[in-house]
Amino acid sequence: MRAHEAGALHGELGNRGPAWLRTPDDVNALVPQLWPRGVVRDSDGVLTVSGLNVKDLRAEFGTPAYVLDEDDLRARARAFQAAFQGHDVYYAGKAFLCRAVVRAIDEEGLFLDVCSGGELATALSAGMSPERIGFHGNNKSVRELERAVDAGVGRIIVDSFDEIDRLAAIARERGKRQPVLVRVTVGVEAHTHEFIATAHEDQKFGFSVGGGAAFKAVCKILDDDVLDLRGLHSHIGSQIFDASGFEVAARRVLALQAQIRDARGVELPEIDLGGGFGIAYTTQDDPAAPADLAERMLKIVDDECEARGLAVPKLSVEPGRAIVGPAVFTLYEVGTVKDVDGLRTYVSVDGGMSDNIRTALYDASYSATVAGRASTADPILARVVGKHCESGDIVVKDEFLPADVQPGDLLAVPGTGAYCRSMASNYNHVPRPPVVAVRGGEARVIVRRETEDDLLALDVG
Ligand SMILES: Cc1ncc(COP(=O)(O)O)c(C=O)c1O
């Protein structure tokens, strides 16, 4: 590698460290925070999950495949449930939803947040009781609202004045009183290690607290007896590590809560502070434990209520990524290995941006490891790319893989449970991979692989 290129690469890699600090041992190591609890290498160096090795999984289910460690998912759900005991934890289904996951979430005692008619249908068809479902969305259709009211959905999170009118009309027509939350924007935007508190809220979601729309929406609902206003809702961002964003948001929401009490004599019994809790995608990420998050969030709500003389409302949160993200890895097969100009090695796998759009869409970082064997070869800097007709079809931007990585190798990418299968596409008419759940030493398909027949079935021209 030429000197200026090494410098450029070092810059790109941030503090991950230059290549010459890596050893073959590092390349084989599984950093625990990146992997589901049930994943280890066996004595032959083959990755196993809940005792099943990935070579056998490939033989039975093919690649690419999303592999879900169900015990890990359940343990993460339970950790949130325990941390927020006495409050409500909604699993945010947009991260990944299928019937098996709905059942697991339900069995672990969580509530469920959905944001479309399709997610609602999935939840109901899996037997989730409707009163434990919250329904989000900035543009729910009349049909979706009707279905939600008819089903008896526990909370509809209203997001616009148009929706308040529509929902009230639907509830009135049915002689029902629908419980709702009002989604507010508090001028806090949080992503990863930073949050920004701004004076205005330039986004499509919610009613602005600063601009007064939130208070107006609350008054409109309080004036209509078919809508039962339970509380305020705020969601500030995603992949958040810095809890101070939640603190600022909670303060602003509770300031509105006090304004409502003073002006209308009503203390709303609930507050929802949304989701967005960060997970580890690389060794550089160090997410907080649910218990620590809960302690901080509950304390700020308690303190702020005390300061404003408010009764402490019931808190709810909506983690999606933090429950399902780390419970899944994607298993790919390497198809080609290309050394480009001594600069970096491109390792092409049999999936790509159709099963994980996050790298292309958000410049997200991921990690990868050769999964079917351990290697004693020196590390090389590699880029894991997909099979799609886009040069931006990147799965893992930078990773140290063993220099002997070769076609036919299995490659595993951890942290792909959230916003991967749920955002998957059929770009280039590539069928979407299955989701294989592993539990108690048994593997089962919970979402089957799409076939070319599935794709052609929609093409009726
Ligand atoms: C309202 C709301 N709640 C919860 C979530 C879940 O976020 P995460 O999966 O990052 O926890 C989202 C994500 O966009 C959201 O918009």
Side-chain angles (χ1 to χ4, degrees):
M1 188 184 293
R2 292 179 290 272
H4 71 281
E5 287 161 349
L9 283 174
H10 191 192
E12 240 178 80
L13 290 166
N15 56 356
R16 294 184 70 187
W20 53 88
L21 290 182
R22 295 278 154 162
T23 69
D25 280 352
D26 295 332
V27 173
N28 295 318
L30 298 177
V31 178
Q33 80 221 42
L34 298 180
W35 293 91
R37 289 162 175 77
V39 172
V40 290
R41 283 193 197 271
D42 68 13
S43 51
D44 296 326
V46 183
L47 222 65
T48 64
V49 49
S50 184
L52 300 182
N53 92 46
V54 291
K55 288 176 158 178
D56 293 339
L57 292 177
R58 163 170 56 186
E60 192 170 349
F61 304 107
T63 57
Y66 302 100
V67 180
L68 165 69
D69 178 346
E70 191 176 333
D71 284 328
D72 185 84
L73 172 109
R74 285 172 180 267
R76 290 176 198 280
R78 275 198 300 277
F80 271 99
Q81 183 73 353
F84 287 93
Q85 212 174 11
H87 301 271
D88 293 337
V89 179
Y90 286 74
Y91 168 68
K94 66 206 76 175
F96 172 64
L97 201 67
C98 66
R99 286 195 275 228
V101 165
V102 174
R103 280 186 219 109
I105 288 300
D106 195 9
E107 283 165 20
E108 299 303 339
L110 275 67
F111 289 54
L112 180 67
D113 142 17
V114 300
C115 66
S116 71
E119 287 186 0
L120 178 60
T122 304
L124 294 175
S125 78
M128 186 86 191
S129 74
E131 61 277 10
R132 295 179 53 232
I133 298 177
F135 191 13
H136 272 281
N138 67 302
N139 185 19
K140 307 173 195 79
S141 70
V142 169
R143 181 74 201 106
E144 286 174 324
L145 289 170
E146 286 172 345
R147 276 168 80 188
V149 174
D150 288 341
V153 160
R155 299 285 177 273
I156 295 181
I157 298 89
V158 294
D159 198 289
S160 68
F161 288 108
D162 294 321
E163 186 181 33
I164 294 173
D165 290 337
R166 278 179 207 140
L167 188 58
I170 291 165
R172 189 163 290 111
E173 205 178 279
R174 285 154 172 78
K176 283 191 164 182
R177 190 149 192 262
Q178 176 62 47
V180 298
L181 302 180
V182 170
R183 178 149 178 187
V184 303
T185 46
V186 291
V188 170
E189 220 187 296
H191 299 282
T192 313
H193 300 283
E194 294 175 286
F195 83 92
I196 306 166
T198 59
H200 67 284
E201 300 104 23
D202 185 5
Q203 59 151 309
K204 70 172 185 170
F205 291 111
F207 296 95
S208 159
V209 171
F215 183 68
K216 271 193 210 141
V218 164
C219 292
K220 189 173 165 69
I221 294 170
L222 288 174
D223 289 339
D224 196 329
D225 59 2
V226 294
L227 300 181
D228 173 16
L229 181 57
R230 308 296 304 166
L232 303 172
H233 180 290
S234 151
H235 172 80
I236 55 172
S238 58
Q239 187 58 0
I240 302 166
F241 292 105
D242 180 354
S244 38
F246 290 110
E247 295 183 358
V248 175
R251 270 194 207 105
R252 292 184 180 176
V253 173
L254 289 166
L256 175 60
Q257 177 98 323
Q259 185 191 355
I260 297 164
R261 178 207 46 205
D262 296 344
R264 301 293 305 247
V266 176
E267 283 205 36
L268 302 176
E270 298 173 20
I271 180 175
D272 190 318
L273 291 179
F277 312 117
I279 65 168
Y281 287 106
T282 73
T283 54
Q284 300 307 300
D285 299 325
D286 187 17
D292 297 337
L293 280 168
E295 198 185 316
R296 261 185 96 166
M297 289 173 86
L298 290 166
K299 181 169 179 351
I300 188 72
V301 171
D302 279 358
D303 290 352
E304 203 56 26
C305 286
E306 196 183 331
R308 295 180 181 276
L310 287 163
V312 179
K314 185 175 197 184
L315 176 66
S316 47
V317 289
E318 299 171 336
R321 182 193 319 265
I323 290 176
V324 75
V328 174
F329 63 88
T330 309
L331 191 63
Y332 297 104
E333 184 174 308
V334 173
T336 65
V337 177
K338 199 185 278 182
D339 180 26
V340 176
D341 198 21
L343 180 60
R344 79 170 98 230
T345 300
Y346 282 81
V347 175
S348 297
V349 294
D350 51 355
M353 64 193 298
S354 57
D355 58 72
N356 185 353
I357 189 66
R358 292 191 65 259
T359 309
L361 193 60
Y362 305 129
D363 198 28
S365 296
Y366 280 92
S367 316
T369 193
V370 169
R373 62 189 173 92
S375 171
T376 53
D378 281 336
I380 48 159
L381 184 63
R383 175 159 287 179
V384 179
V385 296
K387 60 178 284 157
H388 294 280
C389 296
E390 285 283 333
S391 51
D393 173 25
I394 296 167
V395 181
V396 183
K397 284 180 288 186
D398 298 296
E399 182 56 286
F400 292 98
L401 293 177
D404 62 356
V405 60
Q406 57 197 271
D409 266 334
L410 285 170
L411 199 88
V413 175
T416 56
Y419 306 105
C420 288
R421 180 58 178 80
S422 64
M423 286 186 161
S425 76
N426 291 126
Y427 180 48
N428 296 143
H429 285 210
V430 171
R432 288 174 293 180
V435 182
V436 177
V438 178
R439 191 173 193 212
E442 309 238 322
R444 71 189 203 283
V445 173
I446 57 171
V447 179
R448 74 160 168 80
R449 184 183 299 285
E450 245 172 0
T451 63
E452 286 176 4
D453 285 343
D454 290 327
L455 302 182
L456 288 169
L458 298 177
D459 188 338
V460 294

